[in-house]
Structures are given as structure tokens and as C-alpha cells.
Amino acid sequence: MSMRLRLCVLAVGGLGVAVLFVMACFDLPAFGGLWHPYGDRAVHAALARHTANTVSSVNFDQRAFDTLGEESILFASVVGTVTLLRQTHGEDRLPPEPVRVAPPVRRYALIALPVTLLIGLYVIAHGQLSPGGGFQGGVVVATSLHLLYIAVDYRALERIRPVGMYEVADAAGEAAYLLVGAAALLTGAAFLANFLPYGTFNTLSSGGTVPLLNAAIGVEVACGVVVLLARFLDQAVEIESEGRDDEAEART
Amino acid sequence: MSVLPYVIAAWLFLIGCYGLATSRNLIHAVGCLAVCQSSTYVLLLAIGYRDGGTAPVFSDITPGSRPVVDPVVQALTLTDIVIGATVTALLLSLVIQVAKRHRTVDPDELSELRG
């Protein structure tokens, strides 16, 4: 399809979507309005179950089954990326040369590393109390490890990052979520129902199963992001495909 | 104008679609898909906004003392962001494979089949 024809088709489709969407916008509740029936009910349910952070309550209690699906998408895409980015035939793995890092970069990255790690763990642990949770905190934890790559070099990162262990921990996070859900079945409740005592409002032990599911997600996201970045960094830093062309020609 | 945030979401979606359709580079196309997806964040958060509202977190505010924004759409946005990030990672690894096998990232040049 030529570019001109393609743009014409796009313009027709885009205009159609735009007209329908703007018409639909006028039927939506007004921006900033007071009418939020689901929001009000979610807040009410979260308070009834002693979870201070309503968003965590929605994710890990009221919609815990949806979060299982979301977590499985995350897990599946990590598995897919690992499969797609593995070392193939005709690719050599060359150890990267260490490069000198500017002293200020090294200094500040090394100072920021433990601070970032602590913040990430804090955000995971306080997911049911303050803004944040396993998803956000997991990404922060994974980021903190990669500060070592910026501060020192790739080999230092590899030393604290045995990818195989992180792959196992990623699967363990997914399994832990399912096991907490299945534990509810043993108590006679529904799958992923909140079966633990709700605890004292606004303390670390509040929310019943919310902190447990939150921690499982935190482990899975942190390990998943580390594995994803490890595969992409491998491609960029280590794997060389000089021999590929010759081999491809030899096969044809 | 109370529909402006919704219209901005529509504009972001359409501009992302335009980028996808005219893209000459697969990495650029993945970026455009991320722009399309960001329109859903804007739409969800705009629907959940409440005038004078604060975050729906009651660790430091007394329940009922202030209006809070809709937590359900915030949770949906969180889901959306996580899925967006992982799908982007998967698509980018596909682009790496395409670049390795076909030595190009231009979608228009990817018409041949290679076994």
C-alpha cells in the first residue's frame, strides 16, 4: 500500500474514531464531578478491611483475581523475552572490557545504591499503608541494583546478579501469590478471598492478606525487571553476532 | 470545559495511531504504541478525578474529612502501566530478533518469508 493511500485510510479511520469519541465524551460524567459510585464503595470496603491505601486494597483484595491475571501477563512476558533473547547459534559471548567511570559518577551512584534499595523495600513493605506497593517498589529495587552497572562496570553487576536465581525467584513470586490464594480455599473462603485477621488500622500488620500478596508481587516485579534488563544488557554488551552472516549463507 | 481531559486522551490515542501507521522504524512503532497506551492512563485518571480530591490513602488523613479521587481507576491505571511496560519489553525483544534475522527494522522491508 502506498504511503498516500495508507494516510487516506488512516485519516478516514482516525476521523471516525475522533467523532465517536468526542460524542461519547459529552455523555461521560463531567470532569472532577462528585459522582463516583465505585470509588466510594471501594473506599468503604478498604476501610472496613483496615487497609489504609485504598489502591492496594482494590488491587490485592477487592480485585485480587484481576491482579493474578496481570501478574501472569508480567510473568509470561518475562518468559517470552528470555526465550526471544537467548544466545543463538553463531553468536559469541565476549566478556566486556571494563571502562573507567568518572569519579563523581562512581561516588554518587554508589551512595545512591543503598538508599534506592532501602526506598524500594520500604515502598513494598508499606504498600498497604502509603502510596506505592509491590509493583512500584519492585521496579525501584531492580533499578537500585543496576546503579552498580553505572558506578562500577558490567562484571560487578553480574556478580550480584546471578540471573538464574532471579528467574527462580520470579517464578516463586508468582507461585506465592497463587498459594496465598489457595490458602483461602483451605479456610473455606473463596479463592484469593481475604481470610486473615484484618489487624490494627494503619499498622504494618493491617489488611489481612493484602501485605502478603503485595510482597509476592514485589518479589516477582523486582526479579522480573532484573531478568528483563539482564537479557537486554546481554544483547547490548556481551553477545556478538559476527559469525551470523557466514552461517546464514552456508545454510542457504 | 469539562470534557477537555477526555479529548486530550483521544488526541494522544490518535497521534499514537498516526505514528504507528506512518512508522518507518519498528522501535519508533513500539514507542508510538506506548503513546497510544498513555492515552488510556489520561482517560482513566480523568474519569476518576474529583474536584479538590486527594490521594485515596488514609494513613495520614481522617476518612471522610476530605474528598478523595476514585481509587478504582487508579488501580486500573496501575495495571495498565505494568502491562504496558512488559508488553513493550516483549515487543522490543521481537524487534531485536527481527533486526538480527533480516538486518532491517523498517516494517516495509519485511515482506519476504524466510524459513
Side-chain angles (χ1 to χ4, degrees), chain A residues 70-84 170 220 224 227-228 232, chain B residues 82-91 93:
Chain A
E70 172 188 2
E71 184 191 33
S72 305
I73 292 177
L74 198 149
F75 185 68
S77 68
V78 171
V79 172
T81 308
V82 167
T83 316
L84 279 170
D170 187 28
E220 199 202 335
V227 172
L228 281 182
F232 280 104
Chain B
V82 172
I83 291 179
T86 53
V87 168
T88 303
L90 197 59
L91 287 174
S93 51

Side-chain angles (χ1 to χ4, degrees), chain A residues 51-53 56 124-130 132 203-207 210-211 214:
Chain A
T51 310
N53 181 355
S56 277
I124 295 178
H126 290 74
Q128 73 275 26
L129 304 175
S130 55
T203 60
L204 268 183
S205 62
S206 63
V210 170
N214 194 35

Side-chain angles (χ1 to χ4, degrees), chain A residues 4-94:
Chain A
R4 181 180 291 270
L5 182 60
R6 190 189 295 188
L7 281 177
C8 288
V9 173
L10 179 71
V12 172
L15 275 176
V17 172
V19 169
L20 290 174
F21 192 95
V22 170
M23 278 164 62
C25 280
F26 283 99
D27 276 344
L28 279 173
F31 177 69
L34 291 176
W35 191 70
H36 291 284
Y38 292 111
D40 293 339
R41 286 181 180 128
V43 167
H44 189 73
L47 291 175
R49 290 165 188 224
H50 299 193
T51 310
N53 181 355
T54 315
V55 180
S56 277
S57 172
V58 171
N59 267 329
F60 300 116
D61 187 0
Q62 301 163 33
R63 286 177 63 240
F65 197 63
D66 289 355
T67 306
L68 175 64
E70 172 188 2
E71 184 191 33
S72 305
I73 292 177
L74 198 149
F75 185 68
S77 68
V78 171
V79 172
T81 308
V82 167
T83 316
L84 279 170
L85 294 184
R86 69 193 186 284
Q87 190 179 4
T88 54
H89 294 298
E91 286 184 337
D92 297 324
R93 188 173 276 269
L94 299 177

Side-chain angles (χ1 to χ4, degrees), chain A residues 111-122:
Chain A
I111 293 171
L113 194 156
V115 179
T116 316
L117 187 63
L118 191 67
I119 291 175
L121 293 174
Y122 174 90

Side-chain angles (χ1 to χ4, degrees), chain B residues 16 20 28-38 87 91:
Chain B
L20 266 177
H28 174 257
V30 175
C32 290
L33 194 66
V35 172
C36 277
Q37 193 159 27
S38 64
V87 168
L91 287 174

Side-chain angles (χ1 to χ4, degrees), chain A residues 89-113:
Chain A
H89 294 298
E91 286 184 337
D92 297 324
R93 188 173 276 269
L94 299 177
E97 294 294 316
V99 182
R100 213 181 67 83
V101 182
V105 174
R106 172 178 289 237
R107 197 157 52 236
Y108 290 117
L110 282 178
I111 293 171
L113 194 156

